[in-house]
């Protein structure tokens, strides 16, 4: 039965570094929950705390209604898929999958039945008697998944399960893992550094940075309503502009920016008052170069240069504002203007709701906006 | 490596190994199957199994080997387990000390062992008992002594294979509900089996054919001593050769089996992406508890040698039914080091060992280059051949040399040119054969060491040198050699210390006093009535000190990599 998982105020130190820093998460029963972040952000440490391989220094982990914070790993009923798969090379595929059931003292006939079902779920029924090293990377991955699933864990833990696969297999397995988790109704925690994986598979995502949870939300919320410069920069590409709030009227903010005045209808960061500095995040695809609709406030004269033409889209560098101008990155769908050499004049515009206001931050700490 | 060069080195090493290793091996085998009239005969081989004395000897040797391997495993397993998982104060020193018994010759230790555990020894005098700890037949004594000197081989293999296990393998089991015992039995043990088998087969073969320890412990009913005694007799008795054939067959099959198993299970080490073991740092009472087995094993393993040390400074007759000698003296050292036999034996051992190391270095580097850096089709044959001496007991090789030499010296050709062929007659001058024996038997360590060094320094480093204009000889001298020097020195030191303490070949091949190496001199002194034991101990202590320095040198140079030398 799927159960909810609660992480309460968890802290884990390694020497002096704080790998997990007061993390608080509530994961619902049956939810496919992602921990996303750059390497070293503490996501794997958090996962290993849930599995019991790390002992947290502070805080609690609740699985269903039981506190498992100090419970030994082998009593937790968490099925984990390891990054290296950790398939035991001296056992066959069948024996690997059966191991957890043997530990649970299941009868021989039940083991037979459940292992066969689990292998069928991952489409490996005909490979049961092979040794792991006779399988391809994708098949090994499936065995690891079957081994974790067969014990019907209270929560499934996946530690970068696709990082050792090639790009094509990764795409296949993404969908496969989501299908399997949803079919089994599993509560699952999935660690990855691949934002595309997280956006395409997750129910909800916790974005982590330096041990801290930056933001929790659905993939759409995370992309469209980032709440920090880090969130906006880590997921997708974006343009950052330093701005100041000039006035507000019925949820519409007027802002002073390096490219002139701009209006925004997005949520304002907590505790911000008139005159405060904010950082604006505007996605490259939110900027438009086509015909300006009537009454559109955020319109600017611009020079398009260094276009990269990709057929259905083009990626431009666009200079806006007084000389020398402010450089923006713009993705243009169904592009009309292409400036490979020299530059072309154009009108640049953006809708109010696509101008996202974030708490200000020094430009030094921004993650690369050009990834 | 250019193909013509590779081919040259390949042929040269093949010829040298052929003459120094394969030929004597064939001679030993031939000796067991040859009729007096020159025909092939299985009568002697059958004879071995029909003679109850030989059968008993073989069975006893097997029991010795089994017992030694078991006891060594019992000693090494917990130590390896602790040392791969925990870090505590003093661990570095303790693990280094753990290796010391390996270079202390057990047959020298046997002298001290008897002083301590004999009926009139230290232990009984402390306890006030009258038990013969060595037991009737002394089987247990030999097993314990051998295990105490051979456990480091197992320890190195076990800890290397444990450290190689992807930590996630155990975590996965734990995650699926396996407790500590289940994890150990179902995951850890099977995964380290190749390491255990690799180390275990070396220990088994070593103990199976060990000559020195049973000799000194006066355990004569084992195959090695029987061969030794029979070969001492004059005349061409074929039975010792037949016995040697049986021992060789057993050793080689065990070795091949371990290679086979290792080859098949070698995938266990392929999972590299995972987390390695995090050594848990412990302090306080737990750390003391973990240190205890180390301290215990080291002190017990060193006990026989402490006994030797005490014997060497005890006045004759002053260590009898007492814990320690009652009177001390330096006299034995003066006497031993003033003795003509000891001085010449030290000189002999140094000359033989240094020459063997020189041959080893040359062969080892050459073979390693061919194996790692060339694409010659037969290079694996050479690699296998160079490792094969691990499976061939020194006793077998020695008897092969004896047979070879007697064949040569009896030939009409040699009789006609007596002066010229004197150095080919072991009875007259064993120097050539001793050097050959020493170098061939320690070649595996040298080759492993050089191969490891070459594999670690990527060939792209040499290519980079060539790319900026370095000729092959220049890049060899300026790039490759400096990178593998540490490995070469360590391998050479190891080969050297083993040669200095080599027992079976030394005892069997050196037949004239002027050519005795140290080990033979210790044995001869030990057998003398009167003060011989004391002189033997003094010489033994000198040799152990000398070797302790070499081992410390090589372990400083190689650090943890030392373990790689002892893998099959």
């Amino acid at each position: 039965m799927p159960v909810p998982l609660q992480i309460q105020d968890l802290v884990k130190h390694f020497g002096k570094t704080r790998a997990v820093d007061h993390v608080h998460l509530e994961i619902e029963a049956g939810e496919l929950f992602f921990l996303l972040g750059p390497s070293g952000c503490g996501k794997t440490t958090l996962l290993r705390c849930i599995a019991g391989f790390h002992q947290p220094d502070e805080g609690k982990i609740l699985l269903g209604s039981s506190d498992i914070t100090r419970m030994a790993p082998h009593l937790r009923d968490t099925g984990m898929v390891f990054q290296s798969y950790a398939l035991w090379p001296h056992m066959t595929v069948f024996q690997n999958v059966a191991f957890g059931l043997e530990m649970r003292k299941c009868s021989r006939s039940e083991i037979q039945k459940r292992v066969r079902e689990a292998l069928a779920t991952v489409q490996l029924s005909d490979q049961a008697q092979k040794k792991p090293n006779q399988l391809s990377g994708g098949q090994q991955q499936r065995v690891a998944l079957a081994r974790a699933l067969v014990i019907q864990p209270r929560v499934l833990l996946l530690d970068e399960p696709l990082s050792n696969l090639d790009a094509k297999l990764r795409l296949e397995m993404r969908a496969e893992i989501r299908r399997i988790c949803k079919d089994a109704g599993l509560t699952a925690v999935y660690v990855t550094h691949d934002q595309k994986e997280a956006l395409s598979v997750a129910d909800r995502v916790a974005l982590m940075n330096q041990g801290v949870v930056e933001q929790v939300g659905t993939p759409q919320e995370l992309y469209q309503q980032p709440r920090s410069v880090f969130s906006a920069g880590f997921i997708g590409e974006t343009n950052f502009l330093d701005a100041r709030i000039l006035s507000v009227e019925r949820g519409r903010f007027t802002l002073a920016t390096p490219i002139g005045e701009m209006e925004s209808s997005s949520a304002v960061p907590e505790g911000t008052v008139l005159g405060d500095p904010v950082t604006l995040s505007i996605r490259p695809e939110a900027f438009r170069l086509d015909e300006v609709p009537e009454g559109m406030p955020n319109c600017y004269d611009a020079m398009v240069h260094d276009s990269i033409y990709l057929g259905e889209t083009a990626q431009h560098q666009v200079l806006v504002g007084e000389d020398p101008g402010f450089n923006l990155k713009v993705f243009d769908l169904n592009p009309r203007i292409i400036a490979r050499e020299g530059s072309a004049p154009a009108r640049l515009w953006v809708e109010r709701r696509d101008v996202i206001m974030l708490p200000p931050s020094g430009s030094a700490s921004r993650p690369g906006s050009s990834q | 490596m250019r193909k013509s060069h590779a081919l040259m080195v390949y042929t040269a090493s093949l010829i040298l190994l052929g003459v120094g290793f394969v030929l004597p091996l064939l001679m030993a085998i031939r000796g067991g199957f040859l009729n007096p009239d020159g025909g092939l005969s299985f009568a002697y081989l059958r004879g071995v199994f029909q003679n109850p004395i030989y059968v008993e000897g073989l069975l006893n040797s097997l029991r010795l080997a089994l017992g030694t391997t078991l006891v060594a495993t019992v000693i090494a397993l917990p130590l390896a387990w602790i040392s791969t998982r925990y870090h505590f104060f003093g661990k570095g020193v303790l693990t280094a000390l753990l290796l010391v018994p390996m270079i202390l010759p057990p047959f020298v230790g046997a002298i001290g062992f008897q002083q301590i555990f004999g009926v009139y020894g230290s232990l009984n005098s402390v306890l006030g008992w009258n038990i013969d700890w060595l037991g009737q037949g002394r089987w247990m004594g030999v097993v314990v002594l051998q295990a105490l000197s051979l456990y480091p081989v197992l320890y190195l293999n076990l800890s290397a294979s444990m450290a190689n296990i992807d930590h996630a393998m155990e975590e996965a089991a734990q995650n699926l509900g396996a407790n500590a015992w289940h994890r150990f039995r179902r995951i850890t043990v099977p995964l380290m089996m190749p390491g255990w088998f690799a180390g275990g087969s070396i220990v088994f073969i070593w103990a199976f054919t060990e000559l020195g320890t049973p000799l000194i412990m006066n355990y004569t009913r084992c195959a090695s001593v029987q061969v030794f005694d029979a070969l001492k007799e004059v005349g061409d008795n074929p039975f010792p050769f037949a016995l040697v054939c049986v021992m060789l067959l057993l050793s080689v099959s065990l070795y091949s089996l371990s290679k086979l198993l290792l080859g098949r299970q070698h995938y266990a080490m392929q999972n590299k992406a995972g987390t390695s073991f995090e050594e848990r740092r412990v302090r306080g009472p737990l750390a003391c508890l973990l240190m205890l087995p180390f301290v215990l094993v080291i002190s017990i393993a060193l006990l026989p040698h402490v006994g030797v040390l005490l014997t060497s400074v005890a006045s004759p007759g002053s260590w009898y039914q007492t814990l320690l000698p009652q009177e001390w003296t330096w006299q034995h050292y003066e006497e031993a080091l003033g003795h003509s036999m000891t001085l010449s034996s030290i000189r002999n051992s140094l000359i033989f060992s240094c020459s063997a190391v020189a041959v080893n270095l040359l062969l080892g580097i050459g073979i390693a280059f061919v194996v790692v850096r060339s694409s010659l089709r037969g290079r694996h044959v050479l690699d296998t051949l160079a490792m094969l001496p691990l499976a061939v007991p020194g006793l077998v090789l020695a008897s092969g040399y004896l047979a070879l030499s007697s064949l040569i010296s009896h030939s009409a050709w040699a009789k006609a040119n007596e002066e010229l062929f004197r150095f080919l007659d072991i009875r007259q001058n064993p120097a050539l054969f001793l050097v050959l024996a020493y170098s061939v038997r320690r070649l595996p360590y040298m080759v492993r060491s050089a191969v490891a060094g070459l594999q670690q320094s990527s060939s792209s480093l040499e290519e980079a040198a060539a790319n900026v204009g370095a000729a092959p000889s220049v890049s060899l001298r300026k790039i490759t050699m400096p990178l593998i020097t540490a490995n070469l020195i360590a391998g050479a030191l190891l080969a050297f210390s083993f040669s200095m303490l080599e027992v079976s070949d030394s005892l069997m091949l050196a037949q004239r006093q002027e050519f005795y190496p140290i080990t033979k001199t210790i044995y001869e002194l030990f057998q003398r009535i009167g003060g011989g034991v004391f002189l033997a101990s003094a010489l033994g202590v000198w040799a152990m000190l000398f070797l302790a320095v070499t081992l410390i040198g090589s372990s400083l140079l190689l650090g943890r990599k030392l373990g790689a030398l002892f893998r099959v």
Side-chain angles (χ1 to χ4, degrees):
Chain A
M1 269 301 99
V3 290
L5 175 70
Q6 283 184 39
I7 316 282
Q8 294 181 346
D9 215 20
L10 209 73
V11 178
K12 174 67 186 172
H13 293 269
F14 288 121
K16 287 207 171 96
T17 47
R18 199 177 274 179
V20 174
D21 191 358
H22 295 283
V23 165
H24 197 97
L25 293 172
E26 305 215 345
I27 299 165
E28 288 162 28
E31 188 175 27
L32 183 46
F33 192 89
F34 269 60
L35 298 174
L36 173 68
S39 57
C41 72
K43 55 193 191 299
T44 294
T45 307
L46 180 56
L47 193 79
R48 291 172 63 82
C49 282
I50 300 171
F53 297 130
H54 290 323
Q55 200 54 245
D57 300 322
E58 291 171 39
K60 269 190 189 171
I61 303 169
L62 301 178
L63 189 55
S65 53
S66 53
D67 181 352
I68 60 165
T69 319
R70 309 270 158 221
M71 192 186 269
H74 64 279
L75 305 174
R76 291 189 180 202
D77 255 342
T78 64
M80 181 148 165
V81 176
F82 289 78
Q83 182 173 13
S84 61
Y85 312 144
L87 298 178
W88 303 302
H90 58 297
M91 299 184 192
T92 62
V93 167
F94 186 94
Q95 288 168 330
N96 263 282
V97 179
F99 186 87
L101 297 175
E102 284 170 34
M103 292 301 124
R104 282 163 179 71
K105 308 240 180 324
C106 293
S107 71
R108 190 170 291 187
S109 57
E110 193 189 347
I111 290 177
Q112 284 279 346
K113 181 171 148 279
R114 282 171 66 177
V115 171
R116 225 174 287 145
E117 282 171 10
L119 287 177
T121 311
V122 296
Q123 298 163 3
L124 280 178
S125 300
D126 48 343
Q127 312 284 341
Q129 293 314 318
K130 287 196 179 160
K131 290 279 179 76
N133 66 324
Q134 295 171 290
L135 302 181
S136 69
Q139 288 172 324
Q140 292 185 9
Q141 218 285 319
R142 286 162 195 264
V143 177
L145 194 59
R147 188 176 68 180
L149 287 172
V150 75
I151 60 167
Q152 296 171 348
R154 292 197 287 173
V155 57
L156 180 69
L157 306 174
L158 302 118
D159 185 8
E160 307 241 9
L162 306 182
S163 63
N164 289 333
L165 300 181
D166 63 51
K168 188 163 165 282
L169 259 177
R170 215 176 300 165
L171 282 180
E172 276 174 38
M173 283 307 289
R174 265 188 211 168
E176 186 81 0
I177 287 178
R178 184 171 169 89
R179 175 184 70 79
I180 290 170
C181 287
K182 288 296 156 190
D183 284 356
L186 281 169
T187 309
V189 183
Y190 188 130
V191 162
T192 185
H193 65 266
D194 183 339
Q195 42 165 307
K196 292 231 165 80
E197 216 164 287
L199 294 180
S200 60
V201 181
D203 288 332
R204 280 196 305 153
V205 181
L207 180 65
M208 290 185 70
N209 182 31
Q210 296 181 345
V212 179
V213 172
E214 288 269 341
Q215 187 171 352
V216 182
T218 63
Q220 235 178 322
E221 284 169 352
L222 229 59
Y223 188 81
Q224 293 175 349
Q225 299 155 32
R227 285 213 300 266
S228 67
V229 167
F230 178 84
S231 296
F234 185 78
I235 299 179
E237 295 192 35
T238 196
N239 295 289
F240 285 118
L241 290 96
D242 291 322
R244 204 158 42 76
I245 302 177
L246 295 176
S247 67
V248 55
E249 188 185 338
R250 278 188 294 138
R252 287 186 183 173
F253 297 83
T254 308
L255 304 143
T257 79
I259 61 172
E261 275 194 10
M262 196 176 269
E263 288 186 16
S264 165
S265 61
S266 77
V268 72
E270 235 170 89
T272 313
V273 295
L274 275 187
D276 273 0
V278 288
T279 296
L280 302 182
S281 160
I282 306 169
R283 299 283 181 195
E285 70 275 14
F287 280 120
R288 309 284 290 270
L289 290 166
D290 51 355
E291 204 175 308
V292 186
E294 212 139 307
M296 183 54 59
N298 302 330
C299 285
Y300 309 93
D301 285 324
M303 294 300 279
V304 177
H305 64 106
D306 286 324
S307 302
I308 301 170
Y309 183 62
L310 296 169
E312 80 277 22
T313 61
Q315 302 184 358
H316 309 289
Q317 300 291 323
V318 176
L319 269 179
V320 188
E322 285 163 31
D323 199 53
F326 193 89
N327 214 3
L328 295 167
K329 180 179 289 179
V330 174
F331 294 167
D332 193 9
L333 195 63
N334 194 12
R336 299 274 175 246
I337 306 167
I338 302 296
R340 283 209 175 105
E341 283 160 34
S343 54
R347 285 290 279 176
L348 182 76
W349 60 278
V350 58
E351 287 190 55
R352 287 190 192 95
R353 60 170 187 198
D354 287 331
V355 178
I356 310 296
M357 289 184 284
L358 304 170
S361 110
S363 52
S365 67
R366 280 174 197 166
S369 59
S370 60
Q371 44 173 278
Chain B
M1 197 174 190
R2 208 178 295 169
K3 194 153 187 189
S4 57
H5 292 175
L7 209 61
M8 219 163 65
V9 175
Y10 184 82
T11 322
S13 337
L14 220 50
I15 290 174
L16 236 157
L17 277 174
V19 172
F21 178 60
V22 179
L23 190 60
L25 207 59
L26 293 177
M27 287 302 297
I29 297 171
R30 179 173 168 269
F33 290 96
L34 200 66
N35 263 342
D37 51 32
L40 180 78
S41 160
F42 287 93
Y44 305 120
L45 210 57
R46 263 202 312 276
V48 166
F49 288 103
Q50 278 161 356
N51 186 338
I53 295 177
Y54 286 148
V55 172
E56 191 201 357
L58 274 173
L59 285 179
N60 280 338
S61 284
L62 276 177
R63 284 170 58 213
L64 276 183
L66 262 177
T68 305
T69 314
L70 279 181
V71 175
T73 306
V74 169
I75 298 173
L77 190 59
L79 296 177
W81 195 83
I82 293 174
S83 79
T84 43
R85 265 149 232 257
Y86 295 96
H87 189 91
F88 47 86
F89 179 76
K91 183 180 152 187
V93 178
L94 286 176
T95 46
L97 279 176
L98 214 49
L99 303 182
V100 171
M102 192 165 50
I103 54 118
L104 301 179
F107 96 107
V108 174
I111 301 172
F113 200 63
Q114 287 171 326
Q115 281 288 353
I116 293 170
F117 291 101
V119 184
Y120 306 115
S122 307
L123 189 61
N124 276 346
S125 74
V126 173
L127 298 171
W129 294 347
N130 221 349
I131 302 169
D132 186 0
W133 293 94
L134 302 171
Q136 212 69 51
R138 321 227 130 179
W139 176 76
M140 204 56 214
V142 180
V143 163
V144 169
L145 256 175
Q146 291 185 350
L148 282 178
S149 75
L150 290 176
Y151 76 85
V153 175
L154 260 178
Y155 166 80
L156 288 172
N157 272 288
L158 286 178
S159 45
S161 58
M162 277 197 206
N164 257 337
I165 298 174
D166 181 355
H167 193 24
M169 297 275 171
E170 283 183 23
E171 286 182 346
Q174 194 176 15
N175 177 253
L176 294 173
N179 60 28
W181 166 242
H182 279 135
R183 290 199 298 278
F184 183 70
R185 196 171 58 86
R186 298 282 306 271
I187 311 294
T188 320
V189 168
L191 286 179
M192 69 180 194
M193 268 327 243
W196 180 77
F197 222 88
S201 60
I202 292 184
V203 170
F204 189 95
I205 292 171
W206 201 317
F208 182 56
T209 57
E210 166 81 23
L211 177 61
T213 314
L215 260 185
I216 298 249
M217 295 288 284
N218 205 15
Y219 183 79
T220 52
R221 296 180 150 190
C222 61
S224 56
V225 177
Q226 286 170 344
V227 170
F228 177 66
D229 284 341
L231 283 177
K232 269 200 306 201
E233 291 163 14
V234 197
D236 287 331
N237 181 359
F239 280 107
F241 288 104
L243 197 55
V244 157
C245 287
V246 176
M247 297 175 83
L248 180 67
L249 189 72
L250 265 164
S251 307
V252 170
S253 359
L254 186 72
Y255 177 81
S256 324
L257 191 67
S258 90
K259 280 297 256 191
L260 204 72
L261 283 182
L262 206 64
R264 232 184 39 200
Q265 300 216 346
H266 136 104
Y267 55 73
M269 313 304 171
Q270 276 178 1
N271 255 325
K272 271 284 146 65
T275 45
S276 58
F277 274 103
E278 238 175 84
E279 288 181 4
R280 245 180 76 195
R281 290 187 167 273
V282 287
R283 290 167 188 227
L286 183 58
C288 292
L289 198 70
L290 292 174
M291 272 165 91
L292 194 66
F294 284 84
V295 174
L296 217 62
V297 167
I298 292 167
S299 34
I300 294 176
L302 293 182
L303 203 59
H305 304 282
V306 172
V308 178
L309 185 67
L310 289 176
T311 312
S312 75
V313 291
S315 288
S318 74
W319 196 7
Y320 184 75
Q321 295 193 326
T322 51
L323 172 62
L324 293 173
Q326 298 302 296
E327 285 171 49
W328 311 83
T329 176
W330 290 112
Q331 189 197 331
H332 308 313
Y333 283 92
E334 283 168 26
E335 219 173 298
L337 296 177
H339 203 287
S340 65
M341 182 157 75
T342 39
L343 278 187
S344 76
S345 75
I346 290 176
R347 198 193 58 225
N348 285 340
S349 269
L350 282 173
I351 293 174
F352 297 157
S353 304
C354 288
S355 325
V357 167
V359 175
N360 261 343
L361 269 174
L362 222 65
L363 257 180
I365 295 174
I367 292 175
F369 258 100
V370 171
V371 168
V372 181
R373 291 281 199 265
S374 87
S375 51
L376 280 191
R377 197 160 288 181
R379 64 187 193 279
H380 297 299
V381 176
L382 189 63
D383 192 23
T384 313
L385 195 60
M387 294 308 285
L388 211 56
L390 280 180
V392 175
L395 199 68
V396 176
L397 216 53
S399 55
Y401 286 133
L402 281 174
L404 184 65
S405 150
S406 107
L407 187 77
I408 295 174
S409 53
H410 283 118
S411 69
W413 195 24
K415 280 197 175 123
N417 303 286
E418 212 169 307
E419 281 304 306
L420 201 62
F421 283 89
R422 179 170 286 169
F423 71 100
L424 286 175
D425 184 357
I426 286 178
R427 283 169 216 281
Q428 301 230 19
N429 183 350
L432 176 74
F433 287 95
L434 273 174
V435 169
L436 256 182
Y438 288 175
S439 34
V440 165
R441 292 198 51 210
R442 303 312 167 204
L443 186 62
Y445 301 113
M446 195 65 224
V447 170
R448 272 301 126 235
S449 189
V451 163
L454 277 183
Q455 279 170 342
Q456 280 155 13
S457 56
S458 140
S459 61
S460 64
L461 297 178
E462 287 161 37
E463 286 162 8
N467 181 249
V468 293
S473 61
V474 177
S475 93
L476 180 72
R477 197 159 39 85
K478 295 223 155 179
I479 309 291
T480 318
M481 281 305 166
L483 283 171
I484 63 171
T485 306
N487 289 57
L488 291 182
I489 292 176
L493 278 176
L494 217 61
F496 177 74
S497 61
F498 278 131
S499 299
M500 289 290 284
L501 286 174
E502 206 286 332
V503 180
S504 25
D505 289 291
S506 310
L507 291 196
M508 290 177 65
L509 296 183
Q511 294 175 356
R512 283 174 57 166
Q513 197 186 316
E514 50 185 307
F515 293 112
Y516 280 2
I518 290 178
T519 40
K520 177 95 180 190
T521 305
I522 292 176
Y523 177 65
E524 288 292 325
L525 284 173
F526 175 73
Q527 287 199 314
R528 285 195 187 172
I529 315 287
V533 172
F534 303 105
L535 295 189
S537 302
L539 186 56
V541 170
W542 183 88
M544 290 192 289
L545 276 179
F546 185 80
L547 287 170
V549 173
T550 16
L551 182 82
I552 290 167
S554 68
S555 77
L556 281 182
L557 271 168
L558 258 203
R560 297 191 68 162
K561 279 185 260 166
L562 199 64
L565 299 182
F566 290 92
R567 317 209 66 198
V568 182

